[in-house]
Amino acid sequence: MRKTQAKKLPLSPDAKYNDTQVTRFVNNIMWQGKKNTAYVIFYDAIDKVSKQTNEDGYEVWKRALNNVTPGVEVRSRRIGGATFQIPAEVRADRKISLSMKWLIRYSRERNGRNMAEKLANEIVAASKGEGGAFKKKEDTHRMAEANKAFAHFRI
């Protein structure tokens, strides 16, 4: 039997925007425990976004996260020797997690001088409905749509 699930520790909101989601995003950017560097990258990226779009960078970031958030995904399930891709609704917590990870992953793969510039470009692209992270969401939804016939195997 499985043990009890670990309790989620509450995140402290960041200093500038007083938002726990920013802290969560920065925690995903962070490498080797360098949280201060991650904060510098994030705040620089938000400043660059506001210069590029002439809008509030924080609002553009929130819009980008919203555009990249998936609604459905496919989960593999073995049934009678065959593996089926079964479309399933994404949990609320996982939605946020996936969108943040995709945004960061595809910004890392971009061309640019530094991570702040790459992240800023990916945020702007995602807010317009373009870029790698948005394409990943579209592909995930397309895959779920294609496997809709196996939805009755869902648990």
Side-chain angles (χ1 to χ4, degrees):
M1 189 145 173
R2 293 178 188 222
K3 298 199 176 191
T4 57
Q5 204 169 21
K7 292 186 184 94
K8 288 259 186 202
L9 291 173
L11 284 173
S12 57
D14 75 304
K16 194 171 184 181
Y17 299 108
N18 201 31
D19 188 1
T20 53
Q21 227 175 5
V22 171
T23 307
R24 195 168 166 184
F25 192 80
V26 166
N27 286 345
N28 278 305
I29 293 173
M30 181 173 55
W31 266 344
Q32 299 179 348
K34 302 205 176 246
K35 190 174 252 181
N36 206 38
T37 306
Y39 269 117
V40 168
I41 289 168
F42 178 75
Y43 291 141
D44 283 355
I46 294 297
D47 289 342
K48 288 178 184 193
V49 165
S50 57
K51 283 178 186 167
Q52 281 179 14
T53 60
N54 296 325
E55 293 178 54
D56 182 25
Y58 177 68
E59 292 301 321
V60 174
W61 172 74
K62 287 194 99 142
R63 191 173 345 123
L65 260 185
N66 205 28
N67 284 353
V68 174
T69 304
V72 288
E73 66 179 343
V74 288
R75 294 185 159 275
S76 296
R77 175 133 188 257
R78 275 188 62 89
I79 298 167
T83 305
F84 293 105
Q85 298 281 58
I86 299 167
E89 200 74 25
V90 186
R91 286 179 290 121
D93 198 43
R94 185 166 161 77
K95 279 182 185 182
I96 298 164
S97 182
L98 283 174
S99 61
M100 287 181 180
K101 286 173 184 173
W102 289 347
L103 207 57
I104 292 163
R105 175 179 156 202
Y106 287 102
S107 61
R108 283 199 176 116
E109 291 175 5
R110 271 182 172 265
N111 293 326
R113 268 207 193 115
N114 53 21
M115 183 56 190
E117 190 177 297
K118 293 176 185 181
L119 184 60
N121 291 336
E122 187 64 31
I123 288 169
V124 170
S127 69
K128 292 177 183 173
E130 303 165 0
F134 188 78
K135 186 180 181 304
K136 176 72 172 173
K137 175 203 165 185
E138 293 294 309
D139 290 347
T140 305
H141 280 206
R142 204 172 299 118
M143 182 92 83
E145 186 66 30
N147 289 297
K148 201 167 57 176
F150 304 120
H152 65 281
F153 288 130
R154 187 171 44 224
I155 296 175

